[in-house]
């Protein structure tokens, strides 16, 4: 059992949790995730750690209510307990002095890029964040990223804030006009695939933080296998970061829909107040 | 002790294990075997010839005094029989159910030549269940040594090791990566073959004896082995983390939706209880669907029989060798066939095909024949050129074995390992190349059996006990 030290709604359907997990906080490195289970009949889901505070002994999770588990999780409040929390899992993001790094975040993926932005900035990189959302009210982590990045380029689908358009529009301008040395993307699959295509002509090394379906998260089941350069890799062990130019995003998209019908039925059981399915925020079509 | 003559004993027919009818049991997840009644157990034990040199004992990987426990069963002294088994086997209720007896004790029984070995496994199970149902006593703890041991993994090796260490007076903490204890006994072996309540009872017994358990503790990630020895202050570490990395076939179509590793399929069903309506863990709908399982070990049988219980029809096992080479326990194969699993031998999958949504629709099987003997003595399967069968399938389960999970090993670079990525450990002590660190079970042997892992856990416990006592002697 892990106690929720702080729970607050960030934007509609998205909640931030600061959870007591001193050991995980101490070991966490950018890019790693935890496996969470919220009820005795609950499934195990992976959630990327958005921040860790070793001194306070806490980790931060940013959760969007999409399926039943995330909806149940988002119903929890400060002082409540998370039944099971295991981690940190996954291979940490590669952090080095690359030069100029653009982190691209779409929807809750924006929170995923935050610890990497912090680490990359500390490593002496110029860090530019390109973040996207449906509208101003859905934009996440803008202030947090602004505090650690050299520039933040917000984009909204409806033009209510920042650039009117997709994150890939802003990214395309950056790679065309500046010497970008590396790109890190986290968000909806369609967005990550579009980011890969945006940087491919410029040969900018591009890494995507993948989000396949997992069960144990420790390499035991192989359910999270992704095809990278034609070779199967386990996202829980070798990822979740992979070379975006080599990832088969179409396959990932298909595999992530394996239980779509089942999940919709489960979510509906929670009643009309439950979260609505999420539109792909900030993603290129 | 019965006074039957040797001739009378030899004339008696073996007592069959009562089991639930195939058409009933294939619709639920309850245990298949009902277990002996006391009368059945006595009658079966009475067939024992009490050999002067009991080959059964030699056939047991942990050397249980089978002769003596069977004699006590025959005399109706069931609790005493339980004590005899307990001296060498910490989980008889489990082993009586899952040991490959036909290649161990029962295979070595002199009556095996006549095809009627004593059903030692059934007797072991009876004795263990009998003792448990009476609420067997918790042994009085030994004097505390003040030494602390970390056991990594709560499967058969870890449980056996923890039990002996706590018995020797050491403080033991077992770390388990998953949210539930038992390792392969929890996520791998299905309820209908090994009820969860039995595993839970064994763990509960350890808890009562003072063993601490920590779930959700992924050693290697949250604490490394070095952290356990330094920051956490453990005096020794036992690694019983098993072989938890599934092998895949490496053929086209393996990533189609509906293709599972046996570990994923069984974990979803056993650990996450995807068969119950209440579980939030999904599984591809198997009801009325065509299922194929690749491989013919115990895990393959478990997966196939689980698919039958989920309504799969037909459920087929595709094995690349002949029936003679099937590695699963005889009882599992018999049970699988009785429950309607179709066994197709001498075929190997070459390609899985799917629809435009990426869902599995079929498999192409290459017909095989047996060629020359392999290094392991089994005849090697080789393809019959141009001979294929195309089968429509909705769910495919790959049960061709596991490799060591690299998660803990990566974080422990100073641990010597073989080219198969298993940990190098002394056979008698489990001592690894890393001081104070011992290992046993599948992480050392590669995929083997519950009893082998338990035996290794117990040998390591003895060595750890000795290590801790000599350490103390040296320091004082």
């Amino acid at each position: 059992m892990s106690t929720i030290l702080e729970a607050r709604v960030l934007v509609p359907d998205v909640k931030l949790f600061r959870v007591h997990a001193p050991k995980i906080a101490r070991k966490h490195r950018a890019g790693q995730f935890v496996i969470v289970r919220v009820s005795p009949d609950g499934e195990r889901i992976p959630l990327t750690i958005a921040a860790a505070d070793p001194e306070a002994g806490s980790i931060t999770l940013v959760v969007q209510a999409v399926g039943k588990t995330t909806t149940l999780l988002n119903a929890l409040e400060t002082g409540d307990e998370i039944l099971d929390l295991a981690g940190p899992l996954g291979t940490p993001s590669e952090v080095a002095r690359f030069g100029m790094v653009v982190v691209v975040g779409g929807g809750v993926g924006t929170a995923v890029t935050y610890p990497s932005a912090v680490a990359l900035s500390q490593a002496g990189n110029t860090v530019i964040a390109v973040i996207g959302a449906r509208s101003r009210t859905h934009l996440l982590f803008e202030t947090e990223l602004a505090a650690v990045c050299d520039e933040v380029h917000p984009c909204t689908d409806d033009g209510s804030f920042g650039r009117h358009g997709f994150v890939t529009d802003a990214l395309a301008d950056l790679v065309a006009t500046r010497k970008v040395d590396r790109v890190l993307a986290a968000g909806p699959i369609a967005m990550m695939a579009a980011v890969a295509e945006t940087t491919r002509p410029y040969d900018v090394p591009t890494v995507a933080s993948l989000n396949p379906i997992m069960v144990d998260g420790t390499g035991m089941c192989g359910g999270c296998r992704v095809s990278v350069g034609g070779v199967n890799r386990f996202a829980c062990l070798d990822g979740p970061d992979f070379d975006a130019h080599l990832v088969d995003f179409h396959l990932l998209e298909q595999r992530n829909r394996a239980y779509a019908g089942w999940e919709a039925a489960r979510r509906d059981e929670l009643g009309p107040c439950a979260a609505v399915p999420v539109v792909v925020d900030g993603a290129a079509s | 002790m019965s006074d039957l003559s040797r001739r009378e004993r030899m004339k008696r027919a073996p007592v069959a294990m009562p089991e639930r009818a195939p058409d009933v049991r294939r619709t639920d997840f309850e245990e298949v075997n009902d277990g002996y009644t006391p009368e059945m157990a006595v009658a079966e034990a009475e067939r024992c010839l009490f050999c002067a040199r009991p080959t059964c004992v030699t056939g047991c990987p942990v050397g249980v005094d089978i002769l003596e426990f069977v004699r006590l069963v025959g005399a109706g002294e069931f609790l005493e029989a339980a004590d005899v088994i307990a001296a060498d086997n910490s989980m008889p209720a489990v082993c009586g159910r899952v040991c490959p007896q036909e290649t161990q004790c029962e295979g070595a029984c002199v009556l095996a030549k006549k095809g009627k070995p004593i059903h030692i496994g059934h007797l072991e199970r009876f004795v263990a269940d009998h003792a448990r149902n009476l609420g067997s006593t918790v042994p009085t703890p030994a004097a505390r040594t003040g030494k602390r041991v970390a056991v990594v993994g709560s499967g058969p090796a870890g449980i056996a090791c923890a039990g002996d260490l706590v018995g020797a007076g050491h403080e033991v903490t077992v770390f388990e990566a998953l949210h539930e204890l038992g390792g392969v006994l929890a996520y791998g072996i299905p309820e209908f073959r090994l009820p969860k309540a039995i595993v839970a009872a064994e763990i509960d017994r350890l808890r009562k004896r003072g063993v601490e358990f920590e779930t959700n503790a992924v050693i290697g990630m949250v604490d490394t082995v070095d952290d356990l020895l330094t920051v956490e202050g453990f005096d020794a570490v036992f690694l019983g983390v098993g072989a938890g990395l599934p092998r895949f076939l490496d053929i086209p179509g393996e990533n189609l939706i509906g293709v599972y590793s046996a570990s994923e399929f069984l974990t979803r069903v056993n650990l996450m209880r995807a068969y119950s309506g209440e579980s939030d863990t999904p599984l591809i709908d198997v009801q009325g669907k065509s299922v194929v399982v690749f491989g013919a070990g115990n895990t393959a049988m478990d997966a196939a029989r689980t698919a039958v219980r989920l309504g799969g029809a037909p459920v087929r096992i595709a094995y690349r060798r002949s029936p003679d080479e099937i590695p699963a326990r005889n009882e599992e194969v018999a049970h699988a066939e009785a429950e309607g699993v179709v066994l197709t031998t001498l075929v190997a999958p070459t390609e899985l095909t799917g629809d435009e949504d990426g869902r599995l629709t079929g498999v192409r099987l290459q017909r095989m024949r047996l060629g020359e003997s392999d290094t392991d003595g089994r005849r090697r399967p080789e393809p019959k050129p141009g001979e294929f069968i195309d089968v429509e399938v909705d769910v495919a389960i790959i049960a061709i074995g596991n490799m060591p999970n690299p998660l803990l090993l990566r974080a422990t670079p100073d641990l010597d390992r073989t080219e198969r990525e298993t940990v190098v450990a002394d056979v008698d002590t489990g001592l690894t190349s890393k001081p104070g660190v011992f290992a046993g079970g599948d992480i050392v042997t590669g995929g083997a059996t519950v009893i082998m892992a338990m035996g290794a856990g117990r040998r390591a416990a003895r060595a750890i006990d000795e290590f801790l006592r000599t350490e103390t002697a040296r320091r004082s």
Side-chain angles (χ1 to χ4, degrees):
Chain A
M1 295 275 238
S2 305
T3 309
I4 296 170
L5 305 172
E6 181 192 356
R8 63 185 155 96
V9 175
L10 291 182
V11 301
D13 293 338
V14 178
K15 215 160 162 178
L16 176 145
F17 296 97
R18 216 158 48 71
V19 185
H20 180 69
K23 279 194 172 181
I24 300 175
R26 211 154 52 228
K27 291 284 172 163
H28 165 258
R29 307 247 308 276
Q32 290 186 303
F33 64 93
V34 286
I35 289 278
V36 169
R37 212 168 69 102
V38 291
S39 70
D41 295 314
E43 61 178 332
R44 296 167 63 94
I45 59 159
L47 292 171
T48 305
I49 300 169
D53 185 341
E55 265 138 56
S58 67
I59 59 167
T60 300
L61 303 173
V62 174
V63 185
Q64 179 166 31
V66 189
K68 185 179 175 188
T69 304
T70 44
T71 303
L72 288 174
L73 183 55
N74 279 12
L76 299 179
E77 296 295 346
T78 305
D80 287 344
E81 305 273 350
I82 292 179
L83 182 61
D84 293 295
L85 185 70
L89 297 166
T91 301
S93 295
E94 194 184 339
V95 175
R97 192 165 179 168
F98 300 109
M100 183 183 288
V101 184
V102 179
V103 298
V104 185
V108 275
T110 309
V112 172
T113 66
Y114 176 70
S116 295
V118 172
L120 288 163
S121 172
Q122 281 167 356
N125 295 283
T126 299
V127 183
I128 299 172
V130 176
I131 58 175
R134 214 184 310 168
S135 69
R136 179 172 201 159
T137 48
H138 290 86
L139 201 67
L140 283 169
F141 266 56
E142 201 224 341
T143 330
E144 289 83 349
L145 283 163
V148 295
C149 294
D150 296 86
E151 299 169 26
V152 178
H153 299 240
C155 310
T156 51
D157 297 358
D158 64 357
S160 54
F161 188 69
R163 183 174 180 140
H164 186 175
F166 295 129
V167 287
T168 39
D169 300 332
L171 177 67
D173 286 352
L174 284 169
V175 289
T177 57
R178 318 262 288 262
K179 193 193 159 294
V180 176
D181 297 293
R182 191 178 175 87
V183 172
L184 174 75
I189 295 169
M191 183 211 88
M192 293 191 286
V195 164
E197 291 323 307
T198 306
T199 60
R200 198 189 299 275
Y202 299 90
D203 265 342
V204 179
T206 303
V207 169
S209 177
L210 306 186
N211 55 347
I213 294 170
M214 292 184 186
V215 183
D216 61 289
T218 63
M220 204 179 81
C221 82
C224 68
R225 59 194 186 275
V226 289
S227 178
V228 183
V231 178
N232 267 1
R233 310 283 296 275
F234 289 5
C236 68
L237 286 178
D238 303 317
D241 285 6
F242 290 105
D243 183 340
H245 293 152
L246 298 178
V247 169
D248 184 342
F249 285 105
H250 177 66
L251 178 71
L252 177 61
E253 181 93 63
Q254 278 190 334
R255 285 184 63 79
N256 272 16
R257 278 203 301 264
Y259 307 107
W262 192 93
E263 277 159 5
R266 273 298 152 118
R267 198 180 44 236
D268 292 347
E269 285 171 16
L270 294 174
C273 303
V276 289
V278 177
V279 183
V280 174
D281 287 343
S285 48
Chain B
M1 182 67 222
S2 77
D3 45 13
L4 294 169
S5 72
R6 182 181 170 90
R7 177 186 297 250
E8 282 171 315
R9 279 182 263 154
M10 283 183 73
K11 270 203 330 221
R12 289 233 185 143
V15 181
M17 167 63 80
E19 56 181 49
R20 297 195 301 130
D23 56 333
V24 175
R25 70 193 195 220
R26 59 174 302 193
T27 62
D28 63 39
F29 279 82
E30 281 160 45
E31 194 170 15
V32 167
N33 289 342
D34 286 327
Y36 278 166
T37 61
E39 294 72 31
M40 288 173 171
V42 171
E44 181 62 13
E46 279 179 347
R47 293 203 304 118
C48 182
L49 302 178
F50 303 103
C51 304
R53 271 189 286 159
T55 43
C56 52
V57 179
T58 327
C60 175
V62 298
V64 167
D65 190 350
I66 295 166
L67 193 80
E68 180 60 8
F69 107 69
V70 172
R71 189 188 67 75
L72 287 164
V73 174
E77 296 177 22
F78 305 139
L79 288 177
E80 290 75 6
D83 289 340
V84 169
I85 300 175
D88 297 293
N89 183 342
S90 37
M91 281 191 290
V94 174
C95 292
R97 287 171 167 85
V98 305
C99 256
Q101 287 94 0
E102 65 261 26
T103 61
Q104 299 177 354
C105 53
E106 293 180 22
C109 175
V110 291
L111 293 171
K113 291 185 199 83
K114 295 194 184 307
K116 334 192 279 188
I118 303 296
H119 287 321
I120 300 164
H122 296 345
L123 290 175
E124 181 184 31
R125 173 196 154 132
F126 166 77
V127 166
D129 288 359
H130 184 82
R132 190 180 66 251
N133 292 338
L134 289 179
S136 56
T137 51
V138 174
T140 32
R144 292 288 179 129
T145 62
K147 296 286 180 182
R148 299 175 65 227
V149 185
V151 170
V152 186
S154 68
I159 289 178
C161 188
D164 283 7
L165 285 169
V166 81
H170 307 299
E171 252 179 70
V172 183
T173 306
V174 178
F175 296 93
E176 167 56 49
L178 295 173
H179 59 269
E180 202 168 293
L181 297 166
V184 72
L185 307 177
Y187 72 76
I189 303 178
E191 177 78 17
F192 55 82
R193 193 150 79 85
L194 177 65
K196 294 264 171 43
I198 289 170
V199 182
E202 295 290 350
I203 285 163
D204 194 47
R205 217 171 118 79
L206 286 179
R207 214 176 243 137
K208 284 190 182 131
R209 293 171 68 193
V211 175
E212 301 267 341
F213 288 93
E214 218 180 282
T215 51
N216 296 318
V218 189
I219 303 303
M221 300 304 285
V222 67
D223 272 327
T224 61
V225 174
D226 282 323
D227 289 336
L228 293 175
L229 289 168
T230 55
V231 186
E232 301 296 328
F234 286 100
D235 300 291
V237 176
F238 174 75
L239 304 177
V241 295
L245 188 75
R247 237 182 246 285
F248 282 87
L249 291 158
D250 203 17
I251 60 170
E254 207 157 30
N255 293 336
L256 289 163
I257 297 165
V259 183
Y260 288 112
S261 73
S263 293
E264 180 175 1
F265 183 75
L266 290 173
T267 297
R268 283 179 182 274
V269 178
N270 297 334
L271 181 73
M272 307 309 295
R273 298 176 183 83
Y275 61 86
S276 82
E278 287 78 46
S279 173
D280 288 340
T281 298
L283 189 76
I284 299 287
D285 189 8
V286 175
Q287 183 71 43
K289 301 288 175 62
S290 165
V291 180
V292 64
V293 179
F294 305 120
N298 289 323
T299 306
M301 299 300 149
D302 286 346
R305 297 172 65 198
T306 297
V308 165
R309 282 159 175 77
L310 293 168
V315 176
R316 182 193 307 272
I317 280 193
Y319 179 50
R320 64 198 183 117
R321 301 184 200 242
S322 83
D324 289 344
E325 284 82 24
I326 288 179
R329 295 171 84 223
N330 293 344
E331 187 184 36
E332 306 314 325
V333 182
H335 279 164
E337 290 197 284
E339 289 163 12
V341 173
V342 182
L343 215 57
T344 308
T345 54
L346 290 166
V347 289
T350 57
E351 191 185 353
L352 295 151
T353 48
D355 62 18
E356 67 269 25
D357 294 327
R359 290 182 185 267
L360 177 70
T361 55
V363 61
R364 170 160 282 204
L365 298 169
Q366 162 95 61
R367 284 208 186 274
M368 309 292 279
R369 63 176 166 228
L370 292 181
E372 296 298 303
S373 284
D374 223 332
T375 41
D376 63 358
R378 293 192 301 177
R379 292 176 65 195
R380 193 200 315 257
E382 48 194 46
K384 281 180 162 178
E387 290 190 40
F388 293 96
I389 328 166
D390 289 313
V391 183
E392 280 182 25
V393 289
D394 305 291
V395 176
I397 301 162
I398 302 163
I400 57 167
N402 292 289
M403 293 174 287
N405 187 308
L407 209 144
L408 179 131
L409 303 180
R410 276 182 195 170
T412 324
D414 51 344
L415 205 57
D416 282 356
R417 54 200 91 150
T418 66
E419 70 280 1
R420 286 161 55 231
E421 285 298 303
T422 51
V423 169
V424 177
D426 186 273
V427 177
D428 297 319
T429 65
L431 185 64
T432 67
S433 59
K434 196 171 165 62
V437 179
F438 300 74
D442 283 3
I443 190 65
V444 173
T445 55
T449 59
V450 169
I451 186 76
M452 298 284 275
M454 274 187 36
R458 301 202 74 187
R459 284 194 300 279
R462 269 198 293 278
I464 292 169
D465 180 48
E466 205 175 300
F467 166 77
L468 295 174
R469 289 179 194 281
T470 42
E471 277 287 277
T472 315
R474 207 165 55 214
R475 275 187 212 160
S476 54

